Amino acid sequence: MKKLLFLLIAIFPAINAWSADAPAPVPPPTTAPVSVAPPTPASTAIVIKNKSSFKMEGGRNPFWPIGWKPSGLTTNPEAAGGGSDIPSTSFVLTSIAMEKGARFAIINGKVIQEGQQFALQVGTATYQLTLKAIQDGRVILGRRDQEIVVPLRRK
């Protein structure tokens, strides 16, 4: 214990001398507060020099997959409004699925839900049809005022 006390007494003057060599902290300069004026509306207005724009002229939609071509778009007057009645032989009903709350039919290889619209292409004409009802063993399609009953194809 005496040795420890002696050691502290011998080192104390050296520590005191060492801390005296360190520079004293400098207080921050005192300045008067500077008043800042609020920005005026003229200084905050942003002026747009070049406005960007996009105009699509006859090109393909950039959101379509590469190589995909839209179908069902036609300028044929027969497909748009007039035209003859579509025979039920134009359709092949291969399957009907009835689940709780949902009914599906496979017509010409496409899965169609009750109430859904779809397109039928016969030759150069394209017809818009609606699947009105799915019944046991048949479906009822609608086009304007025409109803087409398509029976299930059984093998």
Side-chain angles (χ1 to χ4, degrees), residues 1-13:
M1 182 76 155
K2 289 182 183 180
K3 289 183 181 180
L4 180 61
L5 186 60
F6 178 72
L7 181 63
L8 287 175
I9 293 173
I11 295 177
F12 184 72

Side-chain angles (χ1 to χ4, degrees), residues 71-86 118-129 143-144 146:
S71 63
L73 302 176
T74 180
T75 57
N76 190 348
E78 182 176 306
S84 62
D85 291 344
I86 304 169
F118 65 99
L120 170 72
Q121 188 165 358
V122 179
T124 59
T126 303
Y127 301 98
Q128 290 293 325
L129 297 145
R143 177 179 172 256
R144 293 180 307 173
Q146 178 188 9

